PDB file of all heavy atoms in Angstrom:
ATOM      1  N   VAL X 252     123.992 104.714  95.841  1.00  0.00           N
ATOM      2  CA  VAL X 252     123.448 105.803  96.664  1.00  0.00           C
ATOM      3  C   VAL X 252     121.921 105.739  96.680  1.00  0.00           C
ATOM      4  O   VAL X 252     121.293 105.913  97.727  1.00  0.00           O
ATOM      5  CB  VAL X 252     123.959 107.178  96.178  1.00  0.00           C
ATOM      6  CG1 VAL X 252     123.184 108.317  96.851  1.00  0.00           C
ATOM      7  CG2 VAL X 252     125.452 107.313  96.478  1.00  0.00           C
ATOM      8  N   LEU X 253     121.295 105.481  95.551  1.00  0.00           N
ATOM      9  CA  LEU X 253     119.845 105.324  95.531  1.00  0.00           C
ATOM     10  C   LEU X 253     119.422 104.125  96.382  1.00  0.00           C
ATOM     11  O   LEU X 253     118.436 104.197  97.127  1.00  0.00           O
ATOM     12  CB  LEU X 253     119.347 105.154  94.089  1.00  0.00           C
ATOM     13  CG  LEU X 253     119.400 106.409  93.215  1.00  0.00           C
ATOM     14  CD1 LEU X 253     119.057 106.073  91.764  1.00  0.00           C
ATOM     15  CD2 LEU X 253     118.460 107.504  93.734  1.00  0.00           C
ATOM     16  N   ALA X 254     120.146 103.024  96.281  1.00  0.00           N
ATOM     17  CA  ALA X 254     119.836 101.848  97.103  1.00  0.00           C
ATOM     18  C   ALA X 254     119.992 102.169  98.594  1.00  0.00           C
ATOM     19  O   ALA X 254     119.204 101.714  99.426  1.00  0.00           O
ATOM     20  CB  ALA X 254     120.734 100.675  96.706  1.00  0.00           C
ATOM     21  N   ILE X 255     120.995 102.967  98.934  1.00  0.00           N
ATOM     22  CA  ILE X 255     121.209 103.390 100.328  1.00  0.00           C
ATOM     23  C   ILE X 255     120.034 104.238 100.820  1.00  0.00           C
ATOM     24  O   ILE X 255     119.494 104.003 101.904  1.00  0.00           O
ATOM     25  CB  ILE X 255     122.537 104.166 100.450  1.00  0.00           C
ATOM     26  CG1 ILE X 255     123.724 103.199 100.433  1.00  0.00           C
ATOM     27  CG2 ILE X 255     122.565 105.020 101.717  1.00  0.00           C
ATOM     28  CD1 ILE X 255     125.074 103.885 100.255  1.00  0.00           C
ATOM     29  N   VAL X 256     119.620 105.231 100.029  1.00  0.00           N
ATOM     30  CA  VAL X 256     118.509 106.099 100.434  1.00  0.00           C
ATOM     31  C   VAL X 256     117.258 105.258 100.672  1.00  0.00           C
ATOM     32  O   VAL X 256     116.553 105.423 101.675  1.00  0.00           O
ATOM     33  CB  VAL X 256     118.245 107.191  99.371  1.00  0.00           C
ATOM     34  CG1 VAL X 256     116.964 107.963  99.707  1.00  0.00           C
ATOM     35  CG2 VAL X 256     119.429 108.153  99.284  1.00  0.00           C
ATOM     36  N   ASN X 257     116.978 104.327  99.759  1.00  0.00           N
ATOM     37  CA  ASN X 257     115.816 103.460  99.917  1.00  0.00           C
ATOM     38  C   ASN X 257     115.876 102.653 101.198  1.00  0.00           C
ATOM     39  O   ASN X 257     114.924 102.609 101.974  1.00  0.00           O
ATOM     40  CB  ASN X 257     115.717 102.498  98.724  1.00  0.00           C
ATOM     41  CG  ASN X 257     114.751 102.999  97.673  1.00  0.00           C
ATOM     42  OD1 ASN X 257     113.572 103.206  97.908  1.00  0.00           O
ATOM     43  ND2 ASN X 257     115.289 103.199  96.492  1.00  0.00           N
ATOM     44  N   GLU X 258     117.002 101.967 101.410  1.00  0.00           N
ATOM     45  CA  GLU X 258     117.083 101.067 102.560  1.00  0.00           C
ATOM     46  C   GLU X 258     117.081 101.836 103.877  1.00  0.00           C
ATOM     47  O   GLU X 258     116.450 101.402 104.847  1.00  0.00           O
ATOM     48  CB  GLU X 258     118.314 100.165 102.444  1.00  0.00           C
ATOM     49  CG  GLU X 258     118.324  99.062 103.493  1.00  0.00           C
ATOM     50  CD  GLU X 258     119.104  97.818 103.098  1.00  0.00           C
ATOM     51  OE1 GLU X 258     119.481  97.677 101.909  1.00  0.00           O
ATOM     52  OE2 GLU X 258     119.326  96.972 103.981  1.00  0.00           O
ATOM     53  N   VAL X 259     117.758 102.965 103.930  1.00  0.00           N
ATOM     54  CA  VAL X 259     117.728 103.791 105.148  1.00  0.00           C
ATOM     55  C   VAL X 259     116.299 104.251 105.433  1.00  0.00           C
ATOM     56  O   VAL X 259     115.823 104.198 106.577  1.00  0.00           O
ATOM     57  CB  VAL X 259     118.680 105.005 105.008  1.00  0.00           C
ATOM     58  CG1 VAL X 259     118.389 106.041 106.103  1.00  0.00           C
ATOM     59  CG2 VAL X 259     120.133 104.559 105.096  1.00  0.00           C
ATOM     60  N   TYR X 260     115.595 104.683 104.394  1.00  0.00           N
ATOM     61  CA  TYR X 260     114.223 105.154 104.571  1.00  0.00           C
ATOM     62  C   TYR X 260     113.325 104.036 105.094  1.00  0.00           C
ATOM     63  O   TYR X 260     112.588 104.221 106.071  1.00  0.00           O
ATOM     64  CB  TYR X 260     113.683 105.690 103.234  1.00  0.00           C
ATOM     65  CG  TYR X 260     112.211 106.035 103.265  1.00  0.00           C
ATOM     66  CD1 TYR X 260     111.756 107.197 103.870  1.00  0.00           C
ATOM     67  CD2 TYR X 260     111.272 105.180 102.680  1.00  0.00           C
ATOM     68  CE1 TYR X 260     110.395 107.509 103.891  1.00  0.00           C
ATOM     69  CE2 TYR X 260     109.920 105.487 102.697  1.00  0.00           C
ATOM     70  CZ  TYR X 260     109.489 106.650 103.305  1.00  0.00           C
ATOM     71  OH  TYR X 260     108.138 106.957 103.330  1.00  0.00           O
ATOM     72  N   PHE X 261     113.378 102.866 104.481  1.00  0.00           N
ATOM     73  CA  PHE X 261     112.460 101.801 104.859  1.00  0.00           C
ATOM     74  C   PHE X 261     112.831 101.151 106.187  1.00  0.00           C
ATOM     75  O   PHE X 261     111.944 100.714 106.923  1.00  0.00           O
ATOM     76  CB  PHE X 261     112.337 100.765 103.739  1.00  0.00           C
ATOM     77  CG  PHE X 261     111.467 101.228 102.605  1.00  0.00           C
ATOM     78  CD1 PHE X 261     112.016 101.549 101.371  1.00  0.00           C
ATOM     79  CD2 PHE X 261     110.102 101.373 102.777  1.00  0.00           C
ATOM     80  CE1 PHE X 261     111.219 102.005 100.336  1.00  0.00           C
ATOM     81  CE2 PHE X 261     109.295 101.830 101.742  1.00  0.00           C
ATOM     82  CZ  PHE X 261     109.847 102.142 100.517  1.00  0.00           C
ATOM     83  N   ARG X 262     114.111 101.089 106.531  1.00  0.00           N
ATOM     84  CA  ARG X 262     114.435 100.487 107.821  1.00  0.00           C
ATOM     85  C   ARG X 262     114.035 101.419 108.970  1.00  0.00           C
ATOM     86  O   ARG X 262     113.851 100.963 110.098  1.00  0.00           O
ATOM     87  CB  ARG X 262     115.916 100.112 107.893  1.00  0.00           C
ATOM     88  CG  ARG X 262     116.876 101.250 108.132  1.00  0.00           C
ATOM     89  CD  ARG X 262     118.309 100.749 108.101  1.00  0.00           C
ATOM     90  NE  ARG X 262     119.264 101.812 108.340  1.00  0.00           N
ATOM     91  CZ  ARG X 262     120.569 101.684 108.153  1.00  0.00           C
ATOM     92  NH1 ARG X 262     121.074 100.535 107.706  1.00  0.00           N
ATOM     93  NH2 ARG X 262     121.393 102.694 108.406  1.00  0.00           N
ATOM     94  N   ASN X 263     113.884 102.717 108.684  1.00  0.00           N
ATOM     95  CA  ASN X 263     113.415 103.658 109.704  1.00  0.00           C
ATOM     96  C   ASN X 263     111.896 103.778 109.757  1.00  0.00           C
ATOM     97  O   ASN X 263     111.334 104.046 110.818  1.00  0.00           O
ATOM     98  CB  ASN X 263     114.024 105.043 109.455  1.00  0.00           C
ATOM     99  CG  ASN X 263     115.461 105.156 109.942  1.00  0.00           C
ATOM    100  OD1 ASN X 263     115.722 105.342 111.128  1.00  0.00           O
ATOM    101  ND2 ASN X 263     116.411 105.025 109.011  1.00  0.00           N
ATOM    102  N   THR X 264     111.232 103.607 108.637  1.00  0.00           N
ATOM    103  CA  THR X 264     109.783 103.802 108.591  1.00  0.00           C
ATOM    104  C   THR X 264     109.003 102.496 108.705  1.00  0.00           C
ATOM    105  O   THR X 264     107.813 102.505 109.012  1.00  0.00           O
ATOM    106  CB  THR X 264     109.360 104.523 107.295  1.00  0.00           C
ATOM    107  OG1 THR X 264     109.807 103.765 106.157  1.00  0.00           O
ATOM    108  CG2 THR X 264     109.971 105.928 107.243  1.00  0.00           C
ATOM    109  N   GLN X 265     109.651 101.370 108.442  1.00  0.00           N
ATOM    110  CA  GLN X 265     109.005 100.058 108.559  1.00  0.00           C
ATOM    111  C   GLN X 265     109.869  99.180 109.450  1.00  0.00           C
ATOM    112  O   GLN X 265     110.672  98.388 108.986  1.00  0.00           O
ATOM    113  CB  GLN X 265     108.813  99.424 107.170  1.00  0.00           C
ATOM    114  CG  GLN X 265     108.069 100.293 106.165  1.00  0.00           C
ATOM    115  CD  GLN X 265     106.651 100.605 106.603  1.00  0.00           C
ATOM    116  OE1 GLN X 265     106.040  99.853 107.369  1.00  0.00           O
ATOM    117  NE2 GLN X 265     106.098 101.706 106.142  1.00  0.00           N
ATOM    118  N   LYS X 266     109.674  99.337 110.760  1.00  0.00           N
ATOM    119  CA  LYS X 266     110.532  98.623 111.715  1.00  0.00           C
ATOM    120  C   LYS X 266     110.306  97.111 111.678  1.00  0.00           C
ATOM    121  O   LYS X 266     111.205  96.326 111.947  1.00  0.00           O
ATOM    122  CB  LYS X 266     110.260  99.135 113.141  1.00  0.00           C
ATOM    123  CG  LYS X 266     110.492 100.647 113.327  1.00  0.00           C
ATOM    124  CD  LYS X 266     111.936 101.012 113.319  1.00  0.00           C
ATOM    125  CE  LYS X 266     112.146 102.466 113.720  1.00  0.00           C
ATOM    126  NZ  LYS X 266     113.566 102.890 113.642  1.00  0.00           N
ATOM    127  N   ASN X 267     109.083  96.693 111.365  1.00  0.00           N
ATOM    128  CA  ASN X 267     108.752  95.268 111.287  1.00  0.00           C
ATOM    129  C   ASN X 267     108.136  94.971 109.923  1.00  0.00           C
ATOM    130  O   ASN X 267     106.918  94.827 109.799  1.00  0.00           O
ATOM    131  CB  ASN X 267     107.786  94.873 112.413  1.00  0.00           C
ATOM    132  CG  ASN X 267     108.423  95.067 113.786  1.00  0.00           C
ATOM    133  OD1 ASN X 267     109.358  94.370 114.148  1.00  0.00           O
ATOM    134  ND2 ASN X 267     107.904  96.044 114.536  1.00  0.00           N
ATOM    135  N   PRO X 268     108.941  94.875 108.904  1.00  0.00           N
ATOM    136  CA  PRO X 268     108.417  94.721 107.547  1.00  0.00           C
ATOM    137  C   PRO X 268     107.586  93.442 107.391  1.00  0.00           C
ATOM    138  O   PRO X 268     107.882  92.410 107.996  1.00  0.00           O
ATOM    139  CB  PRO X 268     109.685  94.636 106.686  1.00  0.00           C
ATOM    140  CG  PRO X 268     110.778  95.205 107.524  1.00  0.00           C
ATOM    141  CD  PRO X 268     110.422  94.908 108.933  1.00  0.00           C
ATOM    142  N   ASP X 269     106.538  93.539 106.568  1.00  0.00           N
ATOM    143  CA  ASP X 269     105.663  92.403 106.336  1.00  0.00           C
ATOM    144  C   ASP X 269     106.217  91.576 105.163  1.00  0.00           C
ATOM    145  O   ASP X 269     105.712  91.638 104.038  1.00  0.00           O
ATOM    146  CB  ASP X 269     104.241  92.900 106.039  1.00  0.00           C
ATOM    147  CG  ASP X 269     103.219  91.767 106.054  1.00  0.00           C
ATOM    148  OD1 ASP X 269     103.631  90.585 106.105  1.00  0.00           O
ATOM    149  OD2 ASP X 269     102.000  92.066 105.986  1.00  0.00           O
ATOM    150  N   PHE X 270     107.229  90.781 105.462  1.00  0.00           N
ATOM    151  CA  PHE X 270     107.838  89.973 104.411  1.00  0.00           C
ATOM    152  C   PHE X 270     106.888  88.895 103.895  1.00  0.00           C
ATOM    153  O   PHE X 270     106.955  88.510 102.732  1.00  0.00           O
ATOM    154  CB  PHE X 270     109.146  89.348 104.905  1.00  0.00           C
ATOM    155  CG  PHE X 270     110.246  90.350 105.115  1.00  0.00           C
ATOM    156  CD1 PHE X 270     110.742  90.604 106.383  1.00  0.00           C
ATOM    157  CD2 PHE X 270     110.787  91.051 104.048  1.00  0.00           C
ATOM    158  CE1 PHE X 270     111.753  91.534 106.578  1.00  0.00           C
ATOM    159  CE2 PHE X 270     111.800  91.981 104.241  1.00  0.00           C
ATOM    160  CZ  PHE X 270     112.277  92.228 105.503  1.00  0.00           C
ATOM    161  N   GLU X 271     105.982  88.423 104.754  1.00  0.00           N
ATOM    162  CA  GLU X 271     105.021  87.418 104.297  1.00  0.00           C
ATOM    163  C   GLU X 271     104.119  87.990 103.214  1.00  0.00           C
ATOM    164  O   GLU X 271     103.768  87.305 102.249  1.00  0.00           O
ATOM    165  CB  GLU X 271     104.194  86.891 105.474  1.00  0.00           C
ATOM    166  CG  GLU X 271     104.964  85.889 106.334  1.00  0.00           C
ATOM    167  CD  GLU X 271     105.568  84.737 105.508  1.00  0.00           C
ATOM    168  OE1 GLU X 271     104.849  84.179 104.635  1.00  0.00           O
ATOM    169  OE2 GLU X 271     106.760  84.410 105.702  1.00  0.00           O
ATOM    170  N   GLU X 272     103.727  89.264 103.363  1.00  0.00           N
ATOM    171  CA  GLU X 272     102.938  89.898 102.319  1.00  0.00           C
ATOM    172  C   GLU X 272     103.764  90.021 101.033  1.00  0.00           C
ATOM    173  O   GLU X 272     103.247  89.809  99.933  1.00  0.00           O
ATOM    174  CB  GLU X 272     102.469  91.295 102.777  1.00  0.00           C
ATOM    175  CG  GLU X 272     101.752  92.122 101.713  1.00  0.00           C
ATOM    176  CD  GLU X 272     100.439  91.499 101.235  1.00  0.00           C
ATOM    177  OE1 GLU X 272      99.927  90.558 101.894  1.00  0.00           O
ATOM    178  OE2 GLU X 272      99.928  91.942 100.189  1.00  0.00           O
ATOM    179  N   GLY X 273     105.045  90.367 101.176  1.00  0.00           N
ATOM    180  CA  GLY X 273     105.934  90.433 100.026  1.00  0.00           C
ATOM    181  C   GLY X 273     106.036  89.090  99.312  1.00  0.00           C
ATOM    182  O   GLY X 273     106.006  89.026  98.075  1.00  0.00           O
ATOM    183  N   ARG X 274     106.126  88.014 100.093  1.00  0.00           N
ATOM    184  CA  ARG X 274     106.215  86.672  99.493  1.00  0.00           C
ATOM    185  C   ARG X 274     104.902  86.287  98.822  1.00  0.00           C
ATOM    186  O   ARG X 274     104.917  85.640  97.766  1.00  0.00           O
ATOM    187  CB  ARG X 274     106.594  85.657 100.565  1.00  0.00           C
ATOM    188  CG  ARG X 274     108.022  85.830 101.052  1.00  0.00           C
ATOM    189  CD  ARG X 274     108.408  84.885 102.165  1.00  0.00           C
ATOM    190  NE  ARG X 274     109.718  85.291 102.687  1.00  0.00           N
ATOM    191  CZ  ARG X 274     109.953  85.624 103.947  1.00  0.00           C
ATOM    192  NH1 ARG X 274     108.995  85.595 104.850  1.00  0.00           N
ATOM    193  NH2 ARG X 274     111.165  86.010 104.333  1.00  0.00           N
ATOM    194  N   ARG X 275     103.787  86.677  99.431  1.00  0.00           N
ATOM    195  CA  ARG X 275     102.485  86.374  98.824  1.00  0.00           C
ATOM    196  C   ARG X 275     102.371  87.067  97.460  1.00  0.00           C
ATOM    197  O   ARG X 275     101.930  86.472  96.484  1.00  0.00           O
ATOM    198  CB  ARG X 275     101.356  86.825  99.755  1.00  0.00           C
ATOM    199  CG  ARG X 275      99.973  86.377  99.300  1.00  0.00           C
ATOM    200  CD  ARG X 275      98.873  87.082 100.062  1.00  0.00           C
ATOM    201  NE  ARG X 275      98.793  88.508  99.742  1.00  0.00           N
ATOM    202  CZ  ARG X 275      98.266  88.993  98.608  1.00  0.00           C
ATOM    203  NH1 ARG X 275      97.776  88.194  97.705  1.00  0.00           N
ATOM    204  NH2 ARG X 275      98.251  90.291  98.408  1.00  0.00           N
ATOM    205  N   ARG X 276     102.774  88.332  97.412  1.00  0.00           N
ATOM    206  CA  ARG X 276     102.706  89.086  96.159  1.00  0.00           C
ATOM    207  C   ARG X 276     103.670  88.519  95.113  1.00  0.00           C
ATOM    208  O   ARG X 276     103.330  88.459  93.924  1.00  0.00           O
ATOM    209  CB  ARG X 276     103.025  90.562  96.425  1.00  0.00           C
ATOM    210  CG  ARG X 276     101.961  91.249  97.272  1.00  0.00           C
ATOM    211  CD  ARG X 276     102.285  92.726  97.490  1.00  0.00           C
ATOM    212  NE  ARG X 276     101.242  93.366  98.289  1.00  0.00           N
ATOM    213  CZ  ARG X 276     100.836  94.623  98.141  1.00  0.00           C
ATOM    214  NH1 ARG X 276     101.391  95.395  97.208  1.00  0.00           N
ATOM    215  NH2 ARG X 276      99.883  95.122  98.909  1.00  0.00           N
ATOM    216  N   LEU X 277     104.838  88.111  95.564  1.00  0.00           N
ATOM    217  CA  LEU X 277     105.804  87.515  94.640  1.00  0.00           C
ATOM    218  C   LEU X 277     105.275  86.194  94.095  1.00  0.00           C
ATOM    219  O   LEU X 277     105.413  85.896  92.899  1.00  0.00           O
ATOM    220  CB  LEU X 277     107.148  87.316  95.345  1.00  0.00           C
ATOM    221  CG  LEU X 277     108.290  86.745  94.502  1.00  0.00           C
ATOM    222  CD1 LEU X 277     108.601  87.640  93.302  1.00  0.00           C
ATOM    223  CD2 LEU X 277     109.559  86.559  95.357  1.00  0.00           C
ATOM    224  N   ASP X 278     104.656  85.402  94.960  1.00  0.00           N
ATOM    225  CA  ASP X 278     104.073  84.127  94.542  1.00  0.00           C
ATOM    226  C   ASP X 278     103.008  84.340  93.475  1.00  0.00           C
ATOM    227  O   ASP X 278     102.916  83.579  92.503  1.00  0.00           O
ATOM    228  CB  ASP X 278     103.490  83.409  95.762  1.00  0.00           C
ATOM    229  CG  ASP X 278     102.992  82.012  95.423  1.00  0.00           C
ATOM    230  OD1 ASP X 278     103.835  81.145  95.115  1.00  0.00           O
ATOM    231  OD2 ASP X 278     101.766  81.788  95.464  1.00  0.00           O
ATOM    232  N   LEU X 279     102.184  85.390  93.649  1.00  0.00           N
ATOM    233  CA  LEU X 279     101.151  85.705  92.666  1.00  0.00           C
ATOM    234  C   LEU X 279     101.773  86.064  91.314  1.00  0.00           C
ATOM    235  O   LEU X 279     101.306  85.613  90.262  1.00  0.00           O
ATOM    236  CB  LEU X 279     100.279  86.854  93.167  1.00  0.00           C
ATOM    237  CG  LEU X 279      99.192  87.351  92.196  1.00  0.00           C
ATOM    238  CD1 LEU X 279      98.193  86.234  91.871  1.00  0.00           C
ATOM    239  CD2 LEU X 279      98.462  88.575  92.779  1.00  0.00           C
ATOM    240  N   LYS X 280     102.832  86.863  91.340  1.00  0.00           N
ATOM    241  CA  LYS X 280     103.520  87.243  90.099  1.00  0.00           C
ATOM    242  C   LYS X 280     104.041  85.999  89.373  1.00  0.00           C
ATOM    243  O   LYS X 280     103.903  85.871  88.149  1.00  0.00           O
ATOM    244  CB  LYS X 280     104.687  88.189  90.395  1.00  0.00           C
ATOM    245  CG  LYS X 280     104.274  89.560  90.918  1.00  0.00           C
ATOM    246  CD  LYS X 280     105.530  90.399  91.189  1.00  0.00           C
ATOM    247  CE  LYS X 280     105.174  91.802  91.696  1.00  0.00           C
ATOM    248  NZ  LYS X 280     104.731  91.860  93.056  1.00  0.00           N
ATOM    249  N   ILE X 281     104.648  85.100  90.127  1.00  0.00           N
ATOM    250  CA  ILE X 281     105.200  83.878  89.535  1.00  0.00           C
ATOM    251  C   ILE X 281     104.081  83.034  88.921  1.00  0.00           C
ATOM    252  O   ILE X 281     104.205  82.517  87.813  1.00  0.00           O
ATOM    253  CB  ILE X 281     106.007  83.092  90.583  1.00  0.00           C
ATOM    254  CG1 ILE X 281     107.271  83.874  90.965  1.00  0.00           C
ATOM    255  CG2 ILE X 281     106.375  81.706  90.066  1.00  0.00           C
ATOM    256  CD1 ILE X 281     107.995  83.339  92.186  1.00  0.00           C
ATOM    257  N   SER X 282     102.962  82.912  89.646  1.00  0.00           N
ATOM    258  CA  SER X 282     101.815  82.142  89.134  1.00  0.00           C
ATOM    259  C   SER X 282     101.295  82.748  87.835  1.00  0.00           C
ATOM    260  O   SER X 282     100.947  82.029  86.890  1.00  0.00           O
ATOM    261  CB  SER X 282     100.693  82.107  90.178  1.00  0.00           C
ATOM    262  OG  SER X 282     101.130  81.471  91.359  1.00  0.00           O
ATOM    263  N   GLN X 283     101.225  84.076  87.766  1.00  0.00           N
ATOM    264  CA  GLN X 283     100.759  84.741  86.549  1.00  0.00           C
ATOM    265  C   GLN X 283     101.693  84.461  85.372  1.00  0.00           C
ATOM    266  O   GLN X 283     101.240  84.232  84.249  1.00  0.00           O
ATOM    267  CB  GLN X 283     100.654  86.251  86.789  1.00  0.00           C
ATOM    268  CG  GLN X 283      99.521  86.651  87.744  1.00  0.00           C
ATOM    269  CD  GLN X 283      99.595  88.115  88.150  1.00  0.00           C
ATOM    270  OE1 GLN X 283     100.658  88.737  88.193  1.00  0.00           O
ATOM    271  NE2 GLN X 283      98.435  88.685  88.457  1.00  0.00           N
ATOM    272  N   LEU X 284     103.007  84.470  85.638  1.00  0.00           N
ATOM    273  CA  LEU X 284     103.977  84.217  84.570  1.00  0.00           C
ATOM    274  C   LEU X 284     103.957  82.772  84.090  1.00  0.00           C
ATOM    275  O   LEU X 284     104.392  82.477  82.969  1.00  0.00           O
ATOM    276  CB  LEU X 284     105.394  84.577  85.058  1.00  0.00           C
ATOM    277  CG  LEU X 284     105.674  86.070  85.242  1.00  0.00           C
ATOM    278  CD1 LEU X 284     106.948  86.274  86.061  1.00  0.00           C
ATOM    279  CD2 LEU X 284     105.801  86.768  83.890  1.00  0.00           C
ATOM    280  N   GLN X 285     103.458  81.872  84.945  1.00  0.00           N
ATOM    281  CA  GLN X 285     103.441  80.451  84.600  1.00  0.00           C
ATOM    282  C   GLN X 285     102.114  80.001  83.998  1.00  0.00           C
ATOM    283  O   GLN X 285     101.905  78.797  83.789  1.00  0.00           O
ATOM    284  CB  GLN X 285     103.779  79.621  85.837  1.00  0.00           C
ATOM    285  CG  GLN X 285     105.233  79.793  86.289  1.00  0.00           C
ATOM    286  CD  GLN X 285     105.565  79.031  87.544  1.00  0.00           C
ATOM    287  OE1 GLN X 285     104.705  78.875  88.426  1.00  0.00           O
ATOM    288  NE2 GLN X 285     106.797  78.551  87.664  1.00  0.00           N
ATOM    289  N   GLU X 286     101.221  80.942  83.703  1.00  0.00           N
ATOM    290  CA  GLU X 286      99.947  80.567  83.090  1.00  0.00           C
ATOM    291  C   GLU X 286     100.154  80.006  81.683  1.00  0.00           C
ATOM    292  O   GLU X 286     101.174  80.268  81.036  1.00  0.00           O
ATOM    293  CB  GLU X 286      99.009  81.779  83.058  1.00  0.00           C
ATOM    294  CG  GLU X 286      98.497  82.171  84.455  1.00  0.00           C
ATOM    295  CD  GLU X 286      97.669  83.430  84.450  1.00  0.00           C
ATOM    296  OE1 GLU X 286      97.447  83.998  83.345  1.00  0.00           O
ATOM    297  OE2 GLU X 286      97.242  83.876  85.541  1.00  0.00           O
ATOM    298  N   ALA X 287      99.180  79.290  81.212  1.00  0.00           N
ATOM    299  CA  ALA X 287      99.261  78.655  79.896  1.00  0.00           C
ATOM    300  C   ALA X 287      99.479  79.689  78.795  1.00  0.00           C
ATOM    301  O   ALA X 287      98.907  80.781  78.822  1.00  0.00           O
ATOM    302  CB  ALA X 287      97.973  77.873  79.623  1.00  0.00           C
ATOM    303  N   GLY X 288     100.319  79.346  77.849  1.00  0.00           N
ATOM    304  CA  GLY X 288     100.570  80.212  76.710  1.00  0.00           C
ATOM    305  C   GLY X 288     101.665  81.232  76.909  1.00  0.00           C
ATOM    306  O   GLY X 288     101.962  82.024  76.011  1.00  0.00           O
ATOM    307  N   LEU X 289     102.302  81.232  78.097  1.00  0.00           N
ATOM    308  CA  LEU X 289     103.345  82.216  78.389  1.00  0.00           C
ATOM    309  C   LEU X 289     104.714  81.549  78.559  1.00  0.00           C
ATOM    310  O   LEU X 289     105.621  82.140  79.148  1.00  0.00           O
ATOM    311  CB  LEU X 289     103.000  83.010  79.667  1.00  0.00           C
ATOM    312  CG  LEU X 289     101.648  83.738  79.685  1.00  0.00           C
ATOM    313  CD1 LEU X 289     101.443  84.431  81.027  1.00  0.00           C
ATOM    314  CD2 LEU X 289     101.542  84.742  78.538  1.00  0.00           C
ATOM    315  N   GLY X 290     104.854  80.353  78.038  1.00  0.00           N
ATOM    316  CA  GLY X 290     106.067  79.565  78.273  1.00  0.00           C
ATOM    317  C   GLY X 290     107.354  80.229  77.838  1.00  0.00           C
ATOM    318  O   GLY X 290     108.408  80.016  78.444  1.00  0.00           O
TER     319      GLY X 290
END
């Protein structure tokens, strides 16, 4: 039900989601996790 509320809200308020921005942010997170000393 929480997942439903979220998806209904965002599909109505963000008709053209910026998935490229989402991928850029995800890529940054992955790069941070792969830094030296965090193996």
Side-chain angles (χ1 to χ4, degrees):
V252 169
L253 288 173
I255 283 168
V256 172
N257 263 300
E258 189 154 348
V259 166
Y260 172 77
F261 283 109
R262 77 183 181 191
N263 281 280
T264 57
Q265 306 298 334
K266 302 288 189 184
N267 297 293
D269 191 350
F270 291 114
E271 283 307 315
E272 174 63 14
R274 291 177 189 122
R275 188 192 68 76
R276 293 182 179 214
L277 182 59
D278 186 68
L279 177 61
K280 293 179 179 75
I281 292 168
S282 298
Q283 291 170 332
L284 289 165
Q285 292 177 327
E286 289 175 2
L289 304 178

